[in-house]
Amino acid sequence: MKFIVKLYPEIMMKSKSVRMRFTKMLETNIRNVLKKVDEEAKVQRLYDRILVRVPVNKPELVDAFAERLGCIPGIAHVVQVSEYAFDSIDHIYQQVLPKYRDEIAGKTFCVRVKRSGNHDFNSIEVERYVGGGLNQHTDALGVKLKNPDVTVNLEIDQDKLYMVERRIPGLGGFPMATQEDVLSLISGGFDSGVSSFQFIKKGARTHYCFFNLGGAQHEIGVKQVAYHLWKTYGESHKVRFVSVPFEPVVAEILERIDNGQMGVVLKRMMMRAATRIADKFGIQALVTGESLGQVSSQTLTNLNVIDRSTDLLILRPLIAMDKQDIINQSRVIGTEDFAKSIPEYCGVISQKPTVKAILSKVEKEELKFSEDLIDRVIEAAVVMDIRDIEAEMNKQVTETETVKDVASGEIVIDVRAPEEEERKPLTLDNVMVKAIPFFKLATQFADLDKSKTYLLYCDRGVMSKLQALYLIEQGYTNVKVYRP
């Protein structure tokens, strides 16, 4: 089985040298991702596409390859194909006939052919020959060139015939690392998750900066969002996750800053701290999830005042998006249920927040801060490779038990994503297994029988440990991690 990866059209519009560079990087990215599914994955770059071969005798990997290819930036779409050799148009037809005879019975159909290489026939001749043969020797209703019930898609490359099994939509955008790095200010809510995704899709290695206003429980929730985004869409490259303890800043704002200016001052302090972190790692831009007019600090006037706190470029991909559109996008990329389960940590709430902040007044208020405030929080920041979240969870989940066997009466909860669970269901003899995806567990766990003990399961043990730690932080004691 083989996949033909089609490049995103914007890549094909680039100059030859840029297109070549982007294609090479996409090839490397695909290889990096698929090697984690199976070491024997084969990736081959051609002029205008990339071929991916599923290892021989491992058909069970087809769906896993398809799923991962659909989440790699830079891909327009992927076609899953079966490969055949041929020596004539009639040979092509003879191989297509048994494949489609039953599928087009009682239906209209058409044949579409894409061809490359040197042949004594063209694509239209193949379409006519194969279509005519199918029309005469099957129970199809007939050929219909516009809106047929079935389209027989064939691709011919030199002496190879590819019959298209299915078409998988791609993510679009540019290959990862074709653009410069960015630092995304992530809170775990709807907006910051979507804005981070937008830059991953655009080909920018997206690092994460988290300003902790809500303690360990808040940090665990945000790490889940960042890890999900990286693991799903950006796994081809390592990125950093930076956690900044911002409680000292909030404390001084509440104690010293004029009530109406608190929101704008908090954002300016975040920008200053993020700039320091970005400068340390050579990152040229900050990314936020701000949307015009969504809250008081996001008026044009206030955003202008916030921007004056740094010389670094601040990018706001959601600036003109409506809230519902943002929520809809979060649902598509898989962060909606995370955002629902993470409480809002505003840090400071003004009684009458200004919507037209005056820069000179804000700067005067900021003179009330301790001189070393930003230095202290930056020094206390924790920088980690996002891949180490798994290792960190192994160390932190000490308040719960990891078990290999299921005791009588215990219930196993499969927290894998639905497509993973459906592809390889977990079945255990004499054990009840409930499927609750990790992104729904936080909201659904409270409805479960509290007298029971629940063992969380996932393939690699990362999400199960993250969820266990999150539930423990919420006060649950009837949770374990199941690692058979």
Side-chain angles (χ1 to χ4, degrees):
M1 189 65 67
K2 178 184 289 187
F3 293 95
I4 301 176
V5 176
K6 306 290 187 176
L7 307 181
Y8 192 57
E10 282 191 52
I11 299 174
M12 299 305 296
M13 294 169 60
K14 303 291 185 182
S15 66
K16 182 178 180 180
S17 60
V18 174
R19 182 174 67 247
M20 182 68 70
R21 179 169 62 87
F22 277 32
T23 307
K24 285 182 178 179
M25 296 182 78
L26 180 57
E27 176 194 16
T28 301
N29 295 350
I30 293 173
R31 184 176 289 109
N32 289 343
V33 171
L34 294 186
K35 287 289 186 181
K36 297 177 183 180
V37 179
D38 190 277
E39 282 290 335
E40 297 180 13
K42 302 296 182 183
V43 182
Q44 178 185 2
R45 172 173 49 86
L46 302 178
Y47 171 74
D48 61 347
R49 54 188 167 172
I50 294 172
L51 301 183
V52 175
R53 291 184 182 274
V54 178
V56 178
N57 300 323
K58 292 185 179 180
E60 70 276 7
L61 295 177
V62 169
D63 287 342
F65 274 38
E67 178 189 343
R68 297 307 296 128
L69 288 170
C71 294
I72 297 175
I75 296 176
H77 64 272
V78 181
V79 288
Q80 178 185 327
V81 298
S82 298
E83 181 180 315
Y84 305 85
F86 72 93
D87 53 29
S88 65
I89 292 184
D90 185 67
H91 195 191
I92 293 173
Y93 161 68
Q94 294 298 338
Q95 296 185 88
V96 172
L97 178 60
K99 180 77 174 180
Y100 283 95
R101 178 188 282 114
D102 294 336
E103 185 175 348
I104 65 177
K107 300 175 182 176
T108 59
F109 76 96
C110 74
V111 179
R112 298 298 183 200
V113 176
K114 292 183 178 180
R115 185 188 62 86
S116 61
N118 297 316
H119 305 95
D120 58 2
F121 53 79
N122 58 37
S123 299
I124 294 177
E125 289 172 339
V126 179
E127 291 176 353
R128 289 173 177 169
Y129 190 96
V130 175
L134 292 176
N135 195 34
Q136 291 180 22
H137 298 98
T138 68
D139 294 326
L141 291 180
V143 175
K144 185 180 180 183
L145 298 181
K146 291 186 178 180
N147 301 317
D149 297 323
V150 177
T151 300
V152 178
N153 287 299
L154 307 176
E155 296 205 12
I156 298 170
D157 185 6
Q158 302 297 343
D159 62 345
K160 300 296 183 184
L161 166 67
Y162 300 112
M163 293 191 204
V164 177
E165 304 281 346
R166 60 172 165 166
R167 187 177 187 274
I168 302 154
L171 199 62
F174 294 142
M176 181 65 66
T178 55
Q179 311 302 314
E180 290 85 351
D181 291 12
V182 298
L183 182 66
S184 177
L185 279 57
I186 188 167
S187 67
F190 296 105
D191 304 337
S192 62
V194 174
S195 61
S196 299
F197 167 78
Q198 297 283 26
F199 274 89
I200 295 173
K201 177 181 175 181
K202 205 62 178 175
R205 276 207 312 171
T206 302
H207 305 269
Y208 301 95
C209 181
F210 164 59
F211 294 102
N212 195 340
L213 307 177
Q217 182 176 336
H218 189 197
E219 181 168 329
I220 292 166
V222 174
K223 281 182 176 177
Q224 290 184 78
V225 178
Y227 188 85
H228 167 76
L229 287 168
W230 171 78
K231 180 68 177 175
T232 307
Y233 305 107
E235 190 183 20
S236 60
H237 288 73
K238 65 180 182 179
V239 298
R240 297 180 180 89
F241 183 93
V242 184
S243 180
V244 185
F246 231 53
E247 294 93 334
V249 176
V250 172
E252 291 206 13
I253 288 176
L254 292 173
E255 179 183 349
R256 306 181 183 189
I257 302 301
D258 175 75
N259 190 282
Q261 314 296 323
M262 288 181 175
V264 172
V265 170
L266 176 63
K267 288 292 184 67
R268 282 170 57 89
M269 294 298 280
M270 287 180 174
M271 296 303 174
R272 287 196 180 96
T275 298
R276 292 272 296 274
I277 293 167
D279 288 344
K280 178 180 179 181
F281 296 113
I283 298 173
Q284 300 183 32
L286 306 178
V287 174
T288 81
E290 291 162 318
S291 177
L292 186 61
Q294 192 173 114
V295 295
S296 60
S297 65
Q298 295 175 20
T299 63
L300 276 179
T301 300
N302 287 355
L303 290 174
N304 185 28
V305 171
I306 291 169
D307 284 1
R308 303 300 181 90
S309 63
T310 177
D311 291 331
L312 207 61
L313 176 64
I314 301 177
L315 301 169
R316 298 182 171 94
L318 313 185
I319 194 66
M321 288 184 68
D322 295 331
K323 187 68 175 184
Q324 190 58 53
D325 292 335
I326 296 171
I327 293 174
N328 293 345
Q329 180 68 20
S330 74
R331 186 176 306 125
V332 171
I333 65 176
T335 59
E336 178 189 26
D337 288 285
F338 285 124
K340 286 181 179 178
S341 65
I342 296 177
E344 287 285 346
Y345 294 97
C346 298
V348 297
I349 301 176
S350 300
Q351 296 298 321
K352 292 183 179 180
T354 181
V355 294
K356 291 187 178 295
I358 299 172
L359 181 60
S360 59
K361 186 174 181 180
V362 169
E363 290 175 336
K364 184 177 180 181
E365 288 293 311
E366 290 174 345
L367 293 174
K368 300 175 183 178
F369 282 124
S370 301
E371 289 186 6
D372 64 342
L373 180 58
I374 291 293
D375 292 334
R376 282 189 282 121
V377 297
I378 292 297
E379 185 177 351
V382 176
V383 181
M384 65 184 300
D385 186 324
I386 200 166
R387 297 173 300 179
D388 293 337
I389 286 180
E390 177 178 1
E392 182 190 61
M393 290 305 105
N394 289 335
K395 295 178 181 178
Q396 288 189 2
V397 185
T398 55
E399 300 169 71
T400 189
E401 184 181 355
T402 299
V403 299
K404 294 183 178 180
D405 301 306
V406 184
S408 177
E410 293 181 332
I411 298 172
V412 174
I413 298 180
D414 189 340
V415 302
R416 292 177 296 170
E419 58 271 14
E420 294 180 81
E421 190 273 330
E422 290 173 7
R423 185 169 60 247
K424 190 179 178 183
L426 177 66
T427 55
L428 301 170
D429 294 338
N430 303 316
V431 175
M432 179 182 291
V433 178
K434 294 177 66 70
I436 304 178
F438 62 90
F439 50 79
K440 292 186 178 180
L441 188 62
T443 54
Q444 295 188 10
F445 194 82
D447 298 329
L448 301 178
D449 185 346
K450 294 177 176 58
S451 66
K452 302 288 187 180
T453 297
Y454 299 94
L455 280 58
L456 309 187
Y457 167 80
C458 68
D459 284 334
R460 298 179 62 186
V462 181
M463 281 300 172
S464 56
K465 291 172 183 176
L466 280 167
Q467 289 293 329
L469 187 57
Y470 184 78
L471 292 172
I472 289 168
E473 288 287 340
Q474 290 184 313
Y476 295 103
T477 57
N478 56 337
V479 182
K480 299 178 182 179
V481 173
Y482 177 53
R483 298 292 294 153

